[in-house]
Amino acid sequence: MSRKVYLDNAATTGTDPEVLETLLPYFNEYFGNPSSIYSFAGKNRKAVEYAREQVARVLNAEVSEIFFTSGGTEADNWALKGAAFKQGEKRGHIITTAIEHHAILHSAEFLEKTGYKVTYLPVNDKGMVSAAQVEQAMTPETFLVSVMFANNEIGTIQPVRKIASLCRSKGVLFHTDAVQAVGHVPIDVKEMGMDMLSLSAHKFRGPKGVGVLFIRKGVRIENLLHGGAQEKGRRATTENVPGIVGLGKAIELASQKMEKESARQSELRDMLIKGLGEKIPEAVLNGAEGTQRLPNNVNMSFIGVEGETLLLDLDAAGISASTGSACSSGSLDPSHVLMAIGLDHEHAHGSLRMTLGDTTTRDDIDYVIETLPGIISRRRQMSPLWEKHISGTKEV
Ligand code: PLP
């Protein structure tokens, strides 16, 4: 059997077998509608409420502050549009960053079209924003700041605690997209002063299509989905019971394993960065280092090669990874995140993201360190860009 190494855990993770076992009976055995009043459906209501307790416990939130959604995208849309629509006619000003996920950026752009003002803060070369930048951008009209907890492409962890505390002191709502952070780094919404937080189950070995928006008690936002009285009348539609049960179990397991896993993955991450850095000339790490980077994220640029070509070569060697050059979306523009940290087009186009998970082994990392340098060297030999780059370097 040929070797398979999955290094795209930021895109999605495989459902944990224990999670799968917990959620499966809710498809057929216990299929009742949680809103029905007979005892058969009571099991489903209880399961949904138990999952809510599991999430609340991990985040240190109140049970009443957890609202299930269809995933991270819906949670992000709800936070931004819900807060914005509550403003009514007066509209107002939102602050976010240039490196957010499109679920935030496209929601913000939509709101701009309907009369809201939005500031997209630039980041430094590691992908970081500061509380001082947020403070400077605030105007009397600012009602919401949304800064992601950790970036999905380069893994940079933002100073969200400081930003949350600034927002609290100014009476401005603070939302964080913690989709890539939950299950990987400790999060305490009370202690960190979050008003809203988005998460998504499939990023921490739960099922796809289910997430959460944490809304702190007392925070008023409009609803997005109108219909039945589910989620205390805040989000209509029959609950995705198997998904919610799976999310609850997955967040519990992830939090139990987190300390050990994040230490183990950080070590493998640093081994991979070091190994590739030593074997591949002019390899560049994108994003921050050490504790300011997600334990599972490696993002590197290799000038003179195309990210897409690398993915195909890696795929042929059994390695699944990802790139930030965004040609898959039909655009030739490189990733907005890599451009925001100041990469030139050549480095942005030659970028590769490898994201580890709890099934990643030391052998997997060794295999990538053995395989990738050869692929890059062969591709560079055929690359006019590399040729030009090398002769340019020699002339200097
Ligand atoms: N936000 C971030 C930072 C993400 O990485 C993702 C998914 O890649 C999302 C939001 C969207 O989450 P979902 O796939 O659950 O809609």
Side-chain angles (χ1 to χ4, degrees):
M1 255 260 301
S2 64
R3 189 147 190 156
K4 291 272 170 261
V5 175
Y6 182 75
L7 286 180
D8 205 12
N9 288 278
T12 198
T13 59
T15 305
D16 186 300
E18 227 182 304
V19 170
L20 190 62
E21 198 189 321
T22 313
L23 70 81
L24 274 180
Y26 290 89
F27 276 108
N28 52 6
E29 210 176 324
Y30 313 122
F31 59 81
N33 187 322
S35 301
S36 303
I37 54 167
Y38 35 78
S39 52
F40 169 59
K43 169 114 182 143
N44 299 76
R45 165 60 46 213
K46 282 203 187 99
V48 168
E49 294 317 316
Y50 182 63
R52 210 185 301 280
E53 281 170 29
Q54 288 172 307
V55 177
R57 234 185 335 261
V58 169
L59 298 180
N60 192 24
E62 302 294 323
V63 170
S64 61
E65 297 173 324
I66 304 301
F67 296 90
F68 293 110
T69 66
S70 63
T73 300
E74 185 192 324
D76 284 348
N77 271 260
W78 190 8
L80 260 68
K81 294 175 189 171
F85 295 160
K86 198 75 193 167
Q87 291 286 102
E89 286 303 307
K90 69 176 186 254
R91 299 288 195 267
H93 175 230
I94 298 171
I95 299 172
T96 186
T97 79
I99 61 161
E100 298 293 312
H101 188 272
H102 284 133
I104 294 289
L105 289 179
H106 290 169
S107 296
E109 285 159 16
F110 165 80
L111 290 169
E112 266 188 296
K113 276 193 257 162
T114 56
Y116 294 84
K117 291 187 197 118
V118 182
T119 299
Y120 303 91
L121 293 175
V123 294
N124 70 12
D125 60 349
K126 305 287 182 216
M128 199 82 84
V129 284
S130 66
Q133 276 176 281
V134 175
E135 187 166 13
Q136 270 162 23
M138 277 185 179
T139 74
E141 288 188 306
T142 310
F143 63 91
L144 176 69
V145 172
S146 180
V147 174
M148 70 198 319
F149 205 111
N151 184 264
N152 47 302
E153 291 189 37
I154 55 173
T156 301
I157 297 173
Q158 301 295 345
V160 283
R161 190 191 300 262
K162 277 196 186 142
I163 299 173
S165 136
L166 165 76
C167 290
R168 186 68 57 88
S169 73
K170 302 277 182 188
V172 171
L173 286 180
F174 179 65
H175 166 256
T176 188
D177 173 343
V179 167
Q180 293 290 341
V182 170
H184 299 279
V185 290
I187 297 179
D188 180 325
V189 289
K190 275 207 186 92
E191 191 250 322
M192 291 178 151
M194 307 297 184
D195 290 319
M196 292 188 277
L197 175 145
S198 307
L199 63 86
S200 177
H202 73 107
K203 308 293 186 178
F204 49 84
R205 305 212 64 197
K208 294 169 184 57
V210 60
V212 161
L213 181 63
F214 154 81
I215 310 174
R216 189 175 59 77
K217 214 184 294 169
V219 169
R220 304 260 172 269
I221 65 170
E222 285 293 342
N223 297 344
L224 279 196
L225 296 190
H226 301 97
Q230 291 90 354
E231 297 295 284
K232 294 202 282 331
R234 303 300 308 274
R235 181 186 182 262
T237 186
T238 301
E239 295 88 342
N240 169 8
V241 181
I244 290 171
V245 167
L247 186 153
K249 184 73 186 171
I251 201 167
E252 189 175 275
L253 289 179
S255 93
Q256 285 162 3
K257 285 190 276 190
M258 189 166 63
E259 202 178 328
K260 203 160 143 247
E261 264 310 306
S262 66
R264 192 187 72 88
Q265 289 179 32
S266 301
E267 201 180 323
L268 292 179
R269 171 198 72 187
D270 292 342
M271 210 176 271
L272 184 55
I273 294 170
K274 185 163 178 280
L276 295 179
E278 281 169 4
K279 287 189 159 192
I280 304 171
E282 300 198 38
V284 175
L285 177 70
N286 299 317
E289 281 172 57
T291 55
Q292 290 187 317
R293 183 179 198 104
L294 282 175
N296 69 340
N297 178 291
V298 174
N299 187 314
M300 295 178 94
S301 284
F302 310 102
I303 193 166
V305 288
E306 277 295 324
E308 273 70 24
T309 318
L310 274 188
L311 289 192
L312 295 178
D313 289 348
L314 283 171
D315 192 30
I319 301 167
S320 309
S322 145
T323 173
S325 51
C327 293
S328 53
S329 63
S331 144
L332 284 177
D333 293 336
S335 127
H336 64 287
V337 177
L338 298 179
M339 296 315 282
I341 62 172
L343 289 198
D344 55 33
H345 276 247
E346 286 78 9
H347 279 91
H349 275 297
S351 78
L352 188 65
R353 180 186 75 175
M354 290 165 281
T355 43
L356 289 59
D358 53 11
T359 56
T360 309
T361 63
R362 168 81 200 260
D363 270 3
D364 292 341
I365 298 305
D366 287 343
Y367 178 61
V368 178
I369 297 172
E370 273 160 36
T371 312
L372 184 56
I375 291 176
I376 289 183
S377 154
R378 282 190 293 281
R379 287 290 166 189
R380 277 180 172 168
Q381 275 163 27
M382 295 183 270
S383 159
L385 186 67
W386 177 247
E387 190 55 41
K388 190 166 152 241
H389 174 72
I390 285 297
S391 48
T393 326
K394 275 183 199 146
E395 275 163 25
V396 175

